[in-house]
Amino acid sequence: MTPEHDSRLTLDHLVSGFRRMAPLSLFVIVFGLAFGVAALQQGLSGLETMMMSGLVFAGAAQFATLELWGETVPLLPLVAITLAINARHLLMGAAFYPHLRELPVGRRYASLILLTDANWAMAMTGGSTAARLGILVGGGIALWSTWMIGTGLGVVFGSGISEPESFGLDAIMGCFLLAMLVGDKRDLSVLLPWGAAALAALAAMAWLPPHAHVIVGALAGGVVGLLLPSRQEGRV
């Protein structure tokens, strides 16, 4: 086995991945705080909020499900929205599979428990298989830890924040998604699927039942993205 394909994950790899992801993880504290406050405002208890963040660990999906939370929770729309928002993980997992295929099945799937956009993107930048796994797992631990810290802060201080919008907490989700859109991309074609998703969501909000806009927007953006011609030429 060549060094670049060595999948033997060590503590040093995990620590290195944790350290590389630590600066970005600081932002996640604010994101988690916003979720904690929003969850309390929506009627979840502190324990329910912490358990959702700890077990689900999917910020965008968690914010989306809050829109459906109430005395009765519509299970089917909840599942559909969560699947639509996190469907990108199917592609992320497939892209990372070459670095997982040498692992035993149990370790392979355990390595993906903490998969997020951030540690996946950093792990895909290069290095040996073990180094990539270190970023995926160690970086995932950093992100999960700060997400839980942020959620905890939101739970502790959320009961004293009656108007989250006065602190700009209601804008954090939008800023996060905007950062995902802009990122470091220079290809304006990325605006096409996002534009299609936005227009489809706005139309669904006007003419379809409540909460359908999340699913419609996600599907529309995904379809347009799939139809765009590949621009992989010249890329490593």
Side-chain angles (χ1 to χ4, degrees):
M1 181 180 293
T2 59
E4 63 270 18
H5 291 96
D6 188 354
S7 60
R8 290 173 294 183
L9 184 62
T10 67
L11 180 60
D12 288 341
H13 291 125
L14 292 175
V15 171
S16 176
F18 187 98
R19 288 177 175 173
R20 289 189 63 180
M21 193 59 63
L24 179 62
S25 299
L26 296 178
F27 166 78
V28 178
I29 294 179
V30 183
F31 196 20
L33 188 152
F35 173 75
V37 173
L40 292 186
Q41 296 286 324
Q42 201 66 21
L44 276 74
S45 68
L47 178 60
E48 290 170 336
T49 302
M50 293 300 296
M51 287 185 65
M52 180 185 286
S53 281
L55 298 175
V56 178
F57 185 47
Q62 289 179 224
F63 273 98
T65 55
L66 289 182
E67 297 296 323
L68 301 177
W69 210 264
E71 294 184 3
T72 59
V73 179
L75 184 58
L76 186 58
L78 186 68
V79 171
I81 287 175
T82 304
L83 178 61
I85 291 176
N86 291 316
R88 68 189 187 282
H89 284 230
L90 296 172
L91 298 178
M92 291 161 60
F96 201 76
Y97 176 73
H99 308 291
L100 296 170
R101 60 188 173 194
E102 301 296 333
L103 296 177
V105 174
R107 288 180 58 194
R108 182 186 307 168
Y109 290 108
S111 300
L112 295 173
I113 291 177
L114 298 179
L115 174 68
T116 72
D117 300 271
N119 58 343
W120 173 83
M122 186 171 288
M124 291 295 290
T125 57
S128 67
T129 293
R132 292 172 188 256
L133 289 171
I135 294 172
L136 187 71
V137 180
I141 293 173
L143 293 166
W144 182 87
S145 300
T146 50
W147 175 246
M148 292 300 294
I149 291 172
T151 302
L153 291 174
V155 168
V156 171
F157 298 107
S159 58
I161 302 177
S162 57
E163 297 181 0
E165 62 274 8
S166 63
F167 296 91
L169 296 180
D170 59 325
I172 287 181
M173 183 62 183
C175 293
F176 175 77
L177 293 176
L178 183 60
M180 288 180 62
L181 168 60
V182 178
D184 61 350
K185 295 179 175 63
R186 299 294 183 267
D187 187 357
L188 292 181
S189 67
V190 73
L191 296 176
L192 292 176
W194 283 87
L199 292 175
L202 289 173
M205 289 179 66
W207 295 308
L208 294 180
H211 312 302
H213 64 284
V214 178
I215 302 174
V216 172
L219 291 176
V223 169
V224 172
L226 287 173
L227 294 177
L228 287 177
S230 175
R231 302 178 66 89
Q232 298 297 319
E233 296 81 356
R235 297 182 184 178
V236 177

